[in-house]
Amino acid sequence: MSDTAQTEQIAPHDLDDASRALGEGQATGRTVLFSGADTKSQWGGVVDPTDLRISTDGLNDLISHQPGDMTAVVGAGMPLRTLQTSLAEQGQWLALDPATEQAGATIGGLLATGDAGPRRLRYGTMRDLAIGATIVLADGTIVHSGSHVIKNVAGYDLTKLFHGSLGSLGLIAEVILRLHPLPATSSTLRATATVSEATIAASALSRSGVEPTAIEWSQPGTGDGSGTLLVRIDGSASGTSAGSSRLAKVLSDQGLSAHLLDPDVADRHWATFAEATRGSTEETVVRAGALPDRSPQAIQALRTLADEHGVQAAVASSIALGLHTAVLSGSADAQMEVADQWRRRVETLGGSCSLRNRPAVVADQLSAFGTPPSSAPLLRAVKHKLDPYERCAPGRFRGWY
Amino acid sequence: MSVDTPVARPKTITTQLRRQFVAAVGESGVISEPAQLRTYECDGLTGYRMTPALVVLPQSTEEVSAAVRLCAAHGVPFVARGAGTGLSGGALPVADGIVIGLSRMRDVIGIDPDNERMTVQPGVTNSGISVLASPYGLYFAPDPSSQIVCTVGGNVAENSGGAHCLKYGFTSNHVLGVTLVTPDGSIMHLGGDTTDSIGPDLLGVVVGSEGTLGIVTEVTVRLLRRPESVRTLVADFDSVEDAGQAVSGLVAAGVIPAAVEMLDKLAIEACEQATGAGFSRDAAAALIVELDGFDTECEADFDTARRLCESNAATGIRIPTSTAERALIWQGRKSAFAAMGRISPDYFVQDGVIPRSKLGPVLTQIAQMADDAGLRVANVFHAGDGNLHPLVLYDARHVGEAEHAEELATAIVELCVSSGGSISGEHGVGADKACSMMKMFTPDDLAVMKRVRDAFDPDGICNPGKLFPTPRLCGELPGPYRPHPLETAGVIGRG
């Protein structure tokens, strides 16, 4: 971890505070780590010990909510679950359901990490939902990007630049959000399927005419190859009723037996699914992405490697999107071997992998990201322009920039 | 302008350098005849004109890279250009610079229906992608009104959306990856096969950067399934405020239409004269509301929309009974800009955005400003996302009226900004609104955007003079709007 006994910790309460705190450190080159709820502090490369830690705890206001425009402006430190409670009073929500929500994930952290949940199939990620942001750069410059309207092409979309930046470019202080109406009802179907069956089923579901909100597949660390397919549809009562019937028929046509879950049971299944992506302190969490139709190859490669190295590998996949979160259990050396080799296999499939939470020994020895992309020189150039003294989260993208 | 008027050959393009461009893209890919160069002197914003020193027409990423490397080596500024339908002067050439025309790059690299994506060269038209995707039940959601001729490369540059952005998002949401030739000629890939790219989202910055960060030579787009059901209605109102209230009612009811378009009385009159699409000339405003999706859900939302229009004082509702009738309604809407010529000799067009909840007050204020100025303003716009296209009508034959009209157009877009909106929803900033950027962003905001630009283009040779305010641009007037010939012919629309 990056914290040391010498790390000064502050929590600015407004933009000026944040600007001052960062700007004053520029002259002395003080390095800095930004933090929210720390639900994803291990994602990416291990950050070197920093002189300063700036928490967004004090930047946690709901600055404005315009229900008629379906927009809201929030401080980066606001927990998503707190925001959802406020928005629900007006029948709206931020259409995001990350696994880290219950652990207190903040709006700024969600933008910085690109974290999202199953319903990203329908609504996207913060890349799609954040329409503006206020950023504080390492030199204290306060920058506004975007605006309060969803259709806006004026200037560079710096909000997107900060999506996935993992705190390496500056402090996300405020975010302007596009909201959605809360769905009136939600239905979930459950079926048992192998990864190949689930991949084919996801394609059939997308051709069904119904617009599923989430299609997820999961498999425990050990098993016979079968996993659980969960399909969610949101909408009006009549829409979800008719939609789930049709989706069940589609699954049946694929040879899968689907069951409509009671709402309470469905909630438990989704909670279990979220839990399956986290991992314990002794486990390595690897996030992989490739083309959706390559999911069977990606998962088979993982299974083979896990068997070879005596590792248990639980998988939770956004199967329609080709995104897989694997939680590896076993000896640290074996976890590292599986993570490293799986990443190479996924890269040969045209995809990529990054490491999330993992034991210290794995973090110390295995780089968080794989082969640098062809755009790495540009990433370095952008980093140099925004943070020339490399003060923000040093080491986060080690090997890339 | 006479075709044989001599154009001074800029000193930057020597005979030797021209030969090098020929070596890079072939003799047939280099245009240097003055008359031919004038074809490239402006885009859809015809008020700004600049004849380029040379035009090159590459056919591959490698040829684009070779041409850009020559520019970088010799300090020659370059501007990428697609079909030239842009409305903000984004493809305006630079004096002593070259235009890199992408019209020959129309290859389809690959269609991947299983993964619902397609990779094309940038010269493929927007609607061409949907035509190619159609056999698989797929389509490309962004639909700018010029989609029959505008190219996807231009869509990427301008992040140009269209009527269906409200539900389906903007071009930026539908571009999965690009091949980019950076201003030093390097070739790199942003985004791609993985839904979640790792690291800061450079792709998101390049989309909508108006050709100032490099040249996109391949685009991978996300394709959507054709919706099972599409329902459309046209509702008439006695005032634009009532129509605005109906839109607010839809939002409050949690209905997200695929599109909500509004035309005021002047726009209706122009559209009817031009297309006879069946809009009621008695109405002060008309709303086109379109819903699509899963049939049960679509029907339920359509009933809600119809009911909300009725309860918000709609004076009449027309529901098209055939695909042809629905298509005519959309043709009427998309032809609105060109149709203005029927009711006014000249006009300026704006592209401001306001928060949806302020539609009524802002439209009232625009009407008051028009009255005060003694000019007419027609409104035709995307009501669902607040993207206004006020058309300031005037007659250039009257001394001083053009200047008067432009002042009003500028005041309207500044009203959009002061109402919490934006200076552009889809046309871009380009050369047209570069000076207005200072109304929306602080000097610090612009300076940081400039830092990002410098990271991509340290020598400032990639479409310079666009997007950022410069003394030269801010001292010039763009001149009157003149419709593209294809607009006049009713083939394409605007906004």
Side-chain angles (χ1 to χ4, degrees):
Chain A
M1 293 296 293
S2 57
D3 280 349
T4 67
Q6 288 74 39
T7 299
E8 181 187 350
Q9 305 206 21
I10 60 169
H13 285 273
D14 57 35
L15 288 172
D16 288 339
D17 271 357
S19 171
R20 203 175 304 115
L22 273 161
E24 284 172 355
Q26 186 86 331
T28 53
R30 298 183 81 199
T31 54
V32 58
L33 179 69
F34 309 119
S35 67
D38 278 345
T39 59
K40 295 173 279 282
S41 57
Q42 286 195 60
W43 290 23
V46 178
V47 176
D48 298 335
T50 57
D51 305 309
L52 181 63
R53 183 183 177 110
I54 297 183
S55 161
T56 57
D57 281 356
L59 301 167
N60 60 356
D61 291 337
L62 176 56
I63 297 163
S64 74
H65 176 202
Q66 303 293 337
D69 297 323
M70 290 203 293
T71 59
V73 186
V74 300
M78 169 163 276
L80 175 64
R81 62 185 178 196
T82 309
L83 176 66
Q84 302 289 35
T85 301
S86 295
L87 300 177
E89 293 171 10
Q90 301 291 333
Q92 297 180 348
W93 72 310
L94 177 66
L96 203 65
D97 58 348
T100 51
E101 179 173 355
Q102 289 313 310
T106 61
I107 296 301
L110 291 164
L111 177 58
T113 59
D115 188 17
R119 284 194 264 201
R120 61 166 301 155
L121 178 66
R122 174 74 169 272
Y123 301 105
T125 65
M126 284 289 270
R127 184 184 193 271
D128 310 282
L129 300 171
I131 56 175
T134 302
I135 310 288
V136 186
L137 296 183
D139 62 4
T141 303
I142 298 170
V143 192
H144 307 89
S145 165
S147 77
H148 298 76
V149 290
I150 60 171
K151 196 173 190 183
N152 170 31
V153 298
Y156 295 152
D157 194 341
L158 300 181
T159 308
K160 285 192 175 56
L161 180 64
F162 278 74
H163 184 262
S165 63
L166 297 173
S168 66
L169 300 179
L171 172 69
I172 298 167
E174 295 174 2
V175 186
I176 310 174
L177 298 164
R178 174 185 188 172
L179 309 177
H180 283 77
L182 266 176
T185 59
S186 181
S187 294
T188 299
L189 293 164
R190 179 188 184 280
T192 299
T194 65
V195 64
S196 295
E197 290 169 339
T199 302
I200 294 167
S203 182
L205 291 168
S206 112
R207 292 194 303 269
S208 67
V210 185
E211 297 169 320
T213 316
I215 304 174
E216 302 280 316
W217 178 82
S218 61
Q219 191 180 45
T222 56
D224 59 1
S226 291
T228 300
L229 182 68
L230 294 178
V231 183
R232 187 196 280 271
I233 176 173
D234 294 337
S236 65
S238 59
T240 53
S241 174
S244 52
S245 293
R246 189 183 301 179
L247 293 177
K249 171 77 166 53
V250 170
L251 291 171
S252 172
D253 290 346
Q254 299 296 321
L256 301 176
S257 176
H259 303 281
L260 184 64
L261 301 178
D262 290 335
D264 290 348
V265 177
D267 286 347
R268 284 203 296 277
H269 271 84
W270 287 112
T272 302
F273 185 88
E275 185 60 37
T277 64
R278 291 194 193 109
S280 71
T281 54
E282 301 303 315
E283 294 171 320
T284 298
V285 181
V286 188
R287 175 73 160 181
L291 285 172
D293 68 355
R294 292 179 189 169
S295 295
Q297 295 158 274
I299 299 303
Q300 188 52 52
L302 176 67
R303 286 275 161 254
T304 302
L305 288 167
D307 287 349
E308 283 174 7
H309 293 275
V311 164
Q312 289 194 20
V315 183
S317 296
S318 295
I319 199 78
L321 296 167
L323 297 170
H324 316 285
T325 306
V327 178
L328 310 179
S329 318
S331 77
D333 285 346
Q335 287 179 35
M336 197 157 48
E337 199 62 34
V338 171
D340 188 31
Q341 290 192 35
W342 191 40
R343 177 157 63 203
R344 293 171 206 270
R345 297 294 297 274
V346 170
E347 286 183 353
T348 64
L349 294 173
S352 59
C353 282
S354 60
L355 299 189
R356 295 184 167 178
N357 297 0
R358 66 274 197 198
V361 62
V362 175
D364 287 345
Q365 296 183 53
L366 191 60
S367 75
F369 308 114
T371 308
S374 59
S375 60
L378 266 185
L379 287 168
R380 276 193 291 275
V382 170
K383 166 77 172 176
H384 181 71
K385 289 292 178 184
L386 299 187
D387 180 22
Y389 301 105
E390 301 189 4
R391 295 175 53 215
C392 301
R396 183 67 90 193
F397 282 94
R398 183 170 282 113
W400 284 30
Y401 67 82
Chain B
M1 197 176 285
S2 165
V3 294
D4 58 358
T5 305
V7 172
R9 180 64 48 79
K11 293 172 185 166
T12 48
I13 309 294
T14 61
T15 303
Q16 186 185 5
L17 182 53
R18 184 186 178 283
R19 279 199 206 105
Q20 290 180 277
F21 279 115
V22 168
V25 302
E27 184 71 51
S28 66
V30 174
I31 294 173
S32 53
E33 287 304 313
Q36 292 177 310
L37 290 176
R38 286 208 189 87
T39 302
Y40 297 86
E41 69 183 4
C42 68
D43 59 12
L45 184 74
T46 54
Y48 284 126
R49 289 169 188 265
M50 181 65 69
T51 305
L54 197 74
V55 174
V56 299
L57 304 171
Q59 292 183 284
S60 66
T61 297
E62 290 70 28
E63 287 188 0
V64 172
S65 170
V68 169
R69 281 183 195 281
L70 283 171
C71 290
H74 296 274
V76 176
F78 60 90
V79 178
R81 177 190 168 102
T85 57
L87 285 166
S88 57
L92 178 72
V94 179
D96 292 351
I98 74 165
V99 166
I100 299 180
L102 303 168
S103 56
R104 291 186 178 189
M105 296 182 67
R106 295 195 297 264
D107 286 349
V108 176
I109 312 292
I111 303 175
D112 182 355
D114 290 342
N115 292 303
E116 301 180 347
R117 62 190 66 202
M118 187 188 304
T119 302
V120 298
Q121 287 188 314
V124 174
T125 63
N126 174 285
S127 60
I129 295 175
S130 288
V131 169
L132 291 162
S134 183
Y136 307 100
L138 300 166
Y139 78 111
F140 183 47
D143 61 341
S145 291
S146 56
Q147 67 183 144
I148 294 173
V149 293
C150 72
T151 62
V152 69
N155 292 175
V156 170
E158 302 295 327
N159 194 12
S160 44
H164 289 80
C165 292
L166 176 60
K167 177 175 177 181
Y168 290 107
F170 310 90
T171 300
S172 188
N173 304 120
H174 297 272
V175 174
L176 299 172
V178 298
T179 299
L180 181 75
V181 174
T182 58
D184 66 355
S186 300
I187 298 168
M188 55 188 61
H189 305 282
L190 307 180
D193 286 355
T194 308
T195 303
D196 274 354
S197 282
I198 298 170
D201 184 11
L202 292 179
L203 175 63
V205 180
V206 166
V207 178
S209 62
E210 308 196 16
T212 61
L213 301 180
I215 298 181
V216 167
T217 59
E218 288 182 12
V219 186
T220 299
V221 298
R222 180 164 72 114
L223 302 173
L224 300 186
R225 291 278 155 199
R226 286 262 173 222
E228 181 176 64
S229 185
V230 180
R231 297 299 308 274
T232 308
L233 66 79
V234 179
D236 299 329
F237 296 87
D238 277 339
S239 72
V240 291
E241 290 79 6
D242 285 348
Q245 279 301 319
V247 176
S248 296
L250 280 170
V251 172
V255 174
I256 298 187
V260 185
E261 302 289 296
M262 194 191 295
L263 296 85
D264 70 3
K265 194 171 187 62
L266 275 175
I268 290 169
E269 179 59 36
C271 286
E272 278 307 291
Q273 282 194 31
T275 64
F279 294 109
S280 170
R281 286 182 155 114
D282 296 331
L287 278 185
I288 305 169
V289 181
E290 185 157 288
L291 294 131
D292 66 16
F294 174 47
D295 60 3
T296 309
E297 200 72 62
C298 185
E299 278 305 315
D301 284 350
F302 188 75
D303 287 344
T304 303
R306 181 166 53 185
R307 191 164 34 78
L308 284 167
C309 286
E310 287 167 351
S311 63
N312 279 286
T315 55
I317 290 178
R318 177 162 70 107
I319 299 170
T321 55
S322 67
T323 304
E325 190 181 352
R326 176 178 163 263
L328 186 59
I329 288 168
W330 277 109
Q331 188 193 341
R333 160 62 186 91
K334 293 196 173 188
S335 302
F337 280 29
M340 287 303 148
R342 307 272 179 158
I343 61 169
S344 177
D346 305 286
Y347 60 93
F348 283 108
V349 59
Q350 275 296 8
D351 175 40
V353 193
I354 56 170
R356 192 169 30 212
S357 60
K358 294 184 178 166
L359 272 177
V362 169
L363 290 171
T364 302
Q365 204 166 338
I366 289 173
Q368 184 62 52
M369 291 161 71
D371 279 351
D372 293 346
L375 293 167
R376 295 182 300 167
V377 175
N379 287 290
V380 49
F381 57 95
H382 311 295
D385 49 37
N387 185 192
L388 305 183
H389 291 307
L391 297 133
V392 180
L393 312 183
Y394 69 98
D395 187 340
R397 292 168 300 185
H398 298 158
V399 175
E401 197 164 298
E403 291 75 15
H404 202 38
E406 199 194 9
E407 286 168 14
L408 176 58
T410 301
I412 288 172
V413 79
E414 289 179 3
L415 171 66
C416 292
V417 175
S418 64
S419 300
S422 170
I423 58 174
S424 181
E426 57 187 359
H427 293 178
V429 174
D432 186 29
K433 292 189 181 177
C435 303
S436 298
M437 287 286 278
M438 292 182 287
K439 299 287 181 189
M440 191 164 163
F441 295 107
T442 68
D444 277 349
D445 300 339
L446 292 172
V448 173
M449 288 184 202
K450 187 70 168 49
R451 285 200 229 174
V452 172
R453 176 180 159 77
D454 289 347
F456 282 76
D457 182 23
D459 297 326
I461 60 170
C462 185
N463 205 10
K466 313 295 162 55
L467 201 148
F468 294 99
T470 67
R472 182 183 69 77
L473 283 171
C474 299
E476 288 182 4
L477 295 177
Y481 176 82
R482 298 172 203 166
H484 191 287
L486 288 171
E487 275 185 84
T488 309
V491 175
I492 64 172
R494 302 292 193 191

